[in-house]
Amino acid sequence: MKPISLLALALVILFVISPQSIAQSSGRRMQIPNSRNRNIASIVREIDAKNIERTIRQLVAFGTRNTLSEQNDPKRGIGAARDWLYAEFLKAAETSGGRMTVEKQSFEQPKAQRVPQPTILTNIVATLKGIQPESADRVYVVSGHYDSMCTSPTDAKCDAPGANDDASGTAAVLEMARVMAKYQFDATIVFMTVPGEEQGLLGATHFAEEAKQKTTNIDAMFTNDIVGNTLGGNGIRDRSTVRVFSEGIPSNETTAEANTRRSVGGENDSASRQLARFIEETGEGYVPQMKVMLIYRRDRYGRGGDHQPFLERGFPAVRFTEVNEEYRHQHQNVRIENGVQYGDLPEFVDFAYIANVARVNAASLATLALAPARPKGVSILTAGLSNDTDLKWEANKEPDIAGYEIVWRDTTSPVWTNSKPVGNVTTFTMKGMSKDNYFFGVRAVDKEGNRSVVVYPKPLGRTAPAVNTTPASSSP
Ligand SMILES: [Zn+2]
């Protein structure tokens, strides 16, 4: 036997004997075994930095894309950008066999802090319909904002190239639509570019509010905003890392949910944080040249973005942004001062890097839209004290469901470290593993091995009320 096959045999034996001890000894996140879906690998391959560069240069050529700028000039202003993007998404839809439709979602924005007079805003929304009847109403949204600004957010005349903020995210979304339109997914994917971000997240808010009113099942939303600069103001060049921001405590958490969380933990286990962990595992699996840097915050320190209106309405959402920002090239009038070039110009954007960020997005979106839904009703049974952990959930409705996996980690671990396939069942007991000592989660797996995002269980049975009794010491 050759040494290499001896090694392989030894590895197989190790895994068969003790899969859990191997996963635990790694001390690091789990590997997703199915990171080799051939269609997803093709999507990742087909994403092309040249198309991204072409989109960014075209958007910059409109001079300004300030939300308050000219709407009817074919050459300059946000109207020209809107119409060009609409035409490009229509072109992308041509390969979809009628599954992708493109819509101009227009609305009148009333006067607001950064909107001096009522203004028409138009979201460009390309919807790629899912083909599995049980999953087609499950929607994944990927977005970038196509508006831009110079130093003043209400200056509609100045040049505002916005090559990085946010032609980079817009170009990434358009390129994903172009590549993914010809592939089929179980669930629905919305490729969206919005205006009004710099005016107060207005386009994204309109879309999220309408989705809430229509009770659209948005299972996840990604915003790509400032994903193109790889040389930071700190002098650090990083072409292989992207930040993914996720909030810990949900923006829409109710008082009752907060009481439960204080009783059983979970401040690090919102649906958005599970989504971020999923992106790290999936994205790095398909795009090994990229590292996903999980940031356990809603957004950058004291700042915001288009995922917020989604979070506030209860839709899981994350933000993608480069690692080291360069503030001389954000929200600046284009000028040279003391020999320093200011302004958000294409020469400071790394097109190959944006393509890699788009690949991480696309691999994650494709996996989400091929995988089963997150299991519903995931609970830990709390009736009676036990050193075992009893988990329970509802059966998924997809016909290609294969079963479920329990995942777990130490309470101090930032990411899931262990997983155990438990078959096509709706209850499982983790023998000898106390819910006091680990965090548990459940995810669904289909017959092709596509895994859903993990669900963090809620307690079922004896729950939080015990902590609400008034302590005796509070009586006068
Ligand atoms: Zn932005």
PDB file of all heavy atoms in Angstrom, residues 145 165-166 197-198 225-226 319 331, ligand 1:
ATOM      1  N   HIS A 145     -26.803  49.733  -3.039  1.00  0.00           N
ATOM      2  CA  HIS A 145     -27.476  51.008  -3.326  1.00  0.00           C
ATOM      3  C   HIS A 145     -26.778  51.730  -4.468  1.00  0.00           C
ATOM      4  O   HIS A 145     -25.560  51.840  -4.496  1.00  0.00           O
ATOM      5  CB  HIS A 145     -27.633  51.874  -2.068  1.00  0.00           C
ATOM      6  CG  HIS A 145     -26.404  52.510  -1.515  1.00  0.00           C
ATOM      7  ND1 HIS A 145     -25.920  53.722  -1.947  1.00  0.00           N
ATOM      8  CD2 HIS A 145     -25.547  52.124  -0.529  1.00  0.00           C
ATOM      9  CE1 HIS A 145     -24.842  54.059  -1.249  1.00  0.00           C
ATOM     10  NE2 HIS A 145     -24.578  53.097  -0.389  1.00  0.00           N
ATOM     11  N   ASP A 165     -18.759  53.394  -3.058  1.00  0.00           N
ATOM     12  CA  ASP A 165     -19.984  53.580  -2.257  1.00  0.00           C
ATOM     13  C   ASP A 165     -21.087  54.130  -3.138  1.00  0.00           C
ATOM     14  O   ASP A 165     -21.253  55.337  -3.234  1.00  0.00           O
ATOM     15  CB  ASP A 165     -19.676  54.526  -1.090  1.00  0.00           C
ATOM     16  CG  ASP A 165     -20.834  54.633  -0.121  1.00  0.00           C
ATOM     17  OD1 ASP A 165     -21.793  53.859  -0.249  1.00  0.00           O
ATOM     18  OD2 ASP A 165     -20.779  55.507   0.760  1.00  0.00           O
ATOM     19  N   ASP A 166     -21.905  53.353  -3.818  1.00  0.00           N
ATOM     20  CA  ASP A 166     -21.866  51.910  -3.710  1.00  0.00           C
ATOM     21  C   ASP A 166     -22.042  51.310  -5.091  1.00  0.00           C
ATOM     22  O   ASP A 166     -22.846  50.398  -5.275  1.00  0.00           O
ATOM     23  CB  ASP A 166     -22.948  51.450  -2.722  1.00  0.00           C
ATOM     24  CG  ASP A 166     -22.944  49.943  -2.498  1.00  0.00           C
ATOM     25  OD1 ASP A 166     -21.867  49.336  -2.575  1.00  0.00           O
ATOM     26  OD2 ASP A 166     -24.022  49.378  -2.298  1.00  0.00           O
ATOM     27  N   GLU A 197     -30.191  55.512  -0.146  1.00  0.00           N
ATOM     28  CA  GLU A 197     -29.467  55.036   1.045  1.00  0.00           C
ATOM     29  C   GLU A 197     -28.868  56.219   1.789  1.00  0.00           C
ATOM     30  O   GLU A 197     -29.001  56.341   3.005  1.00  0.00           O
ATOM     31  CB  GLU A 197     -28.388  54.026   0.643  1.00  0.00           C
ATOM     32  CG  GLU A 197     -27.865  53.176   1.799  1.00  0.00           C
ATOM     33  CD  GLU A 197     -26.704  53.778   2.587  1.00  0.00           C
ATOM     34  OE1 GLU A 197     -26.121  54.807   2.135  1.00  0.00           O
ATOM     35  OE2 GLU A 197     -26.366  53.246   3.647  1.00  0.00           O
ATOM     36  N   GLU A 198     -28.202  57.098   1.036  1.00  0.00           N
ATOM     37  CA  GLU A 198     -27.525  58.250   1.655  1.00  0.00           C
ATOM     38  C   GLU A 198     -28.536  59.268   2.191  1.00  0.00           C
ATOM     39  O   GLU A 198     -28.177  60.159   2.942  1.00  0.00           O
ATOM     40  CB  GLU A 198     -26.580  58.925   0.645  1.00  0.00           C
ATOM     41  CG  GLU A 198     -25.599  57.985  -0.046  1.00  0.00           C
ATOM     42  CD  GLU A 198     -24.517  57.437   0.873  1.00  0.00           C
ATOM     43  OE1 GLU A 198     -24.586  57.648   2.099  1.00  0.00           O
ATOM     44  OE2 GLU A 198     -23.594  56.781   0.360  1.00  0.00           O
ATOM     45  N   ASP A 225     -22.338  46.908   0.592  1.00  0.00           N
ATOM     46  CA  ASP A 225     -22.169  48.355   0.609  1.00  0.00           C
ATOM     47  C   ASP A 225     -20.717  48.658   0.975  1.00  0.00           C
ATOM     48  O   ASP A 225     -20.276  48.342   2.081  1.00  0.00           O
ATOM     49  CB  ASP A 225     -23.152  48.948   1.633  1.00  0.00           C
ATOM     50  CG  ASP A 225     -23.302  50.454   1.496  1.00  0.00           C
ATOM     51  OD1 ASP A 225     -22.551  51.054   0.711  1.00  0.00           O
ATOM     52  OD2 ASP A 225     -24.170  51.016   2.190  1.00  0.00           O
ATOM     53  N   ILE A 226     -19.987  49.264   0.037  1.00  0.00           N
ATOM     54  CA  ILE A 226     -18.550  49.544   0.198  1.00  0.00           C
ATOM     55  C   ILE A 226     -17.783  48.221   0.235  1.00  0.00           C
ATOM     56  O   ILE A 226     -17.223  47.824   1.244  1.00  0.00           O
ATOM     57  CB  ILE A 226     -18.265  50.416   1.444  1.00  0.00           C
ATOM     58  CG1 ILE A 226     -19.227  51.608   1.494  1.00  0.00           C
ATOM     59  CG2 ILE A 226     -16.827  50.892   1.470  1.00  0.00           C
ATOM     60  CD1 ILE A 226     -18.976  52.579   2.654  1.00  0.00           C
ATOM     61  N   ARG A 319     -24.695  42.675   6.654  1.00  0.00           N
ATOM     62  CA  ARG A 319     -24.017  43.642   5.791  1.00  0.00           C
ATOM     63  C   ARG A 319     -22.636  43.132   5.414  1.00  0.00           C
ATOM     64  O   ARG A 319     -21.862  42.714   6.287  1.00  0.00           O
ATOM     65  CB  ARG A 319     -23.858  44.981   6.526  1.00  0.00           C
ATOM     66  CG  ARG A 319     -23.064  45.997   5.708  1.00  0.00           C
ATOM     67  CD  ARG A 319     -22.688  47.254   6.495  1.00  0.00           C
ATOM     68  NE  ARG A 319     -21.970  48.156   5.606  1.00  0.00           N
ATOM     69  CZ  ARG A 319     -22.350  49.390   5.294  1.00  0.00           C
ATOM     70  NH1 ARG A 319     -23.409  49.919   5.863  1.00  0.00           N
ATOM     71  NH2 ARG A 319     -21.651  50.111   4.447  1.00  0.00           N
ATOM     72  N   HIS A 331     -17.790  59.809   0.446  1.00  0.00           N
ATOM     73  CA  HIS A 331     -18.559  61.019   0.758  1.00  0.00           C
ATOM     74  C   HIS A 331     -17.673  62.266   0.710  1.00  0.00           C
ATOM     75  O   HIS A 331     -17.699  63.096   1.616  1.00  0.00           O
ATOM     76  CB  HIS A 331     -19.215  60.913   2.157  1.00  0.00           C
ATOM     77  CG  HIS A 331     -20.113  59.729   2.298  1.00  0.00           C
ATOM     78  ND1 HIS A 331     -20.828  59.467   3.449  1.00  0.00           N
ATOM     79  CD2 HIS A 331     -20.445  58.736   1.439  1.00  0.00           C
ATOM     80  CE1 HIS A 331     -21.539  58.363   3.289  1.00  0.00           C
ATOM     81  NE2 HIS A 331     -21.321  57.895   2.081  1.00  0.00           N
TER      82      HIS A 331
HETATM   83 ZN    ZN B   1     -23.087  53.209   1.099  1.00  0.00          ZN
END
